[in-house]
Coordinates of all heavy atoms in Angstrom, one line a residue:
Y35 N 18.4 -1.4 -2.4 CA 17.6 -1.9 -3.6 C 16.2 -1.3 -3.6 O 15.7 -0.8 -4.6 CB 17.6 -3.4 -3.6 CG 16.8 -4.0 -4.8 CD1 17.3 -4.0 -6.1 CD2 15.6 -4.6 -4.5 CE1 16.5 -4.5 -7.1 CE2 14.8 -5.1 -5.5 CZ 15.3 -5.1 -6.8 OH 14.6 -5.7 -7.8
L39 N 14.4 1.3 -6.2 CA 13.1 0.9 -6.8 C 12.0 2.0 -6.6 O 11.3 2.5 -7.5 CB 12.6 -0.4 -6.3 CG 11.2 -0.9 -6.8 CD1 11.3 -1.2 -8.3 CD2 10.8 -2.1 -6.1
L314 N 7.6 -13.0 -11.2 CA 8.4 -11.8 -11.0 C 9.7 -12.2 -10.4 O 9.7 -13.0 -9.4 CB 7.7 -10.8 -10.2 CG 6.4 -10.2 -10.8 CD1 5.7 -9.4 -9.7 CD2 6.7 -9.3 -12.0
D315 N 10.8 -11.7 -10.8 CA 12.1 -12.0 -10.3 C 12.7 -10.8 -9.6 O 13.1 -9.8 -10.2 CB 13.1 -12.5 -11.4 CG 14.5 -12.8 -10.9 OD1 14.7 -12.8 -9.6 OD2 15.4 -13.0 -11.7
I316 N 12.7 -10.8 -8.2 CA 13.1 -9.6 -7.5 C 14.6 -9.4 -7.7 O 15.1 -8.3 -7.5 CB 12.8 -9.8 -6.0 CG1 12.9 -8.4 -5.3 CG2 13.7 -10.8 -5.3 CD1 12.3 -8.4 -4.0
A317 N 15.4 -10.4 -8.1 CA 16.8 -10.2 -8.3 C 17.1 -9.4 -9.5 O 18.2 -8.9 -9.7 CB 17.5 -11.6 -8.3
N318 N 16.2 -9.4 -10.5 CA 16.4 -8.7 -11.7 C 15.7 -7.3 -11.7 O 14.5 -7.2 -12.1 CB 15.9 -9.5 -12.9 CG 16.3 -8.9 -14.2 OD1 16.4 -7.7 -14.4 ND2 16.4 -9.8 -15.2
G319 N 16.3 -6.3 -11.1 CA 15.7 -5.0 -10.9 C 15.1 -4.4 -12.2 O 14.0 -3.9 -12.1
K320 N 15.9 -4.4 -13.3 CA 15.4 -3.8 -14.5 C 14.1 -4.5 -15.0 O 13.1 -3.8 -15.4 CB 16.5 -3.9 -15.6 CG 16.2 -3.1 -16.8 CD 17.4 -3.1 -17.8 CE 17.1 -2.3 -19.0 NZ 16.1 -2.9 -19.9
E321 N 14.1 -5.8 -15.0 CA 13.0 -6.5 -15.5 C 11.8 -6.3 -14.6 O 10.6 -6.1 -15.0 CB 13.3 -8.0 -15.6 CG 12.1 -8.9 -16.1 CD 12.4 -10.4 -16.0 OE1 13.1 -10.9 -17.0 OE2 12.0 -11.0 -15.0
L322 N 12.0 -6.3 -13.3 CA 11.0 -6.1 -12.3 C 10.3 -4.7 -12.5 O 9.1 -4.6 -12.5 CB 11.5 -6.2 -10.9 CG 10.5 -6.0 -9.7 CD1 9.5 -7.2 -9.7 CD2 11.2 -6.0 -8.4
R323 N 11.1 -3.7 -12.7 CA 10.6 -2.4 -12.9 C 9.7 -2.3 -14.2 O 8.7 -1.7 -14.2 CB 11.7 -1.3 -12.9 CG 12.3 -1.1 -11.6 CD 13.2 0.2 -11.6 NE 14.3 0.1 -12.6 CZ 15.5 -0.4 -12.4 NH1 15.7 -0.9 -11.2 NH2 16.4 -0.4 -13.3
E324 N 10.2 -2.9 -15.2 CA 9.5 -2.9 -16.5 C 8.1 -3.6 -16.3 O 7.1 -3.2 -16.8 CB 10.3 -3.6 -17.6 CG 11.5 -2.7 -18.0 CD 12.4 -3.5 -19.0 OE1 12.2 -4.7 -19.2 OE2 13.4 -2.8 -19.5
K325 N 8.2 -4.8 -15.7 CA 6.9 -5.6 -15.5 C 5.9 -4.9 -14.6 O 4.7 -5.1 -14.8 CB 7.2 -7.0 -15.0 CG 7.8 -7.9 -16.0 CD 7.9 -9.3 -15.5 CE 8.3 -10.3 -16.5 NZ 8.3 -11.7 -16.0

Side-chain angles (χ1 to χ4, degrees):
Y35 175 76
L39 178 67
L314 299 168
D315 181 7
I316 198 168
N318 189 332
K320 186 174 183 295
E321 179 185 278
L322 181 66
R323 288 194 300 273
E324 289 174 354
K325 284 190 173 183

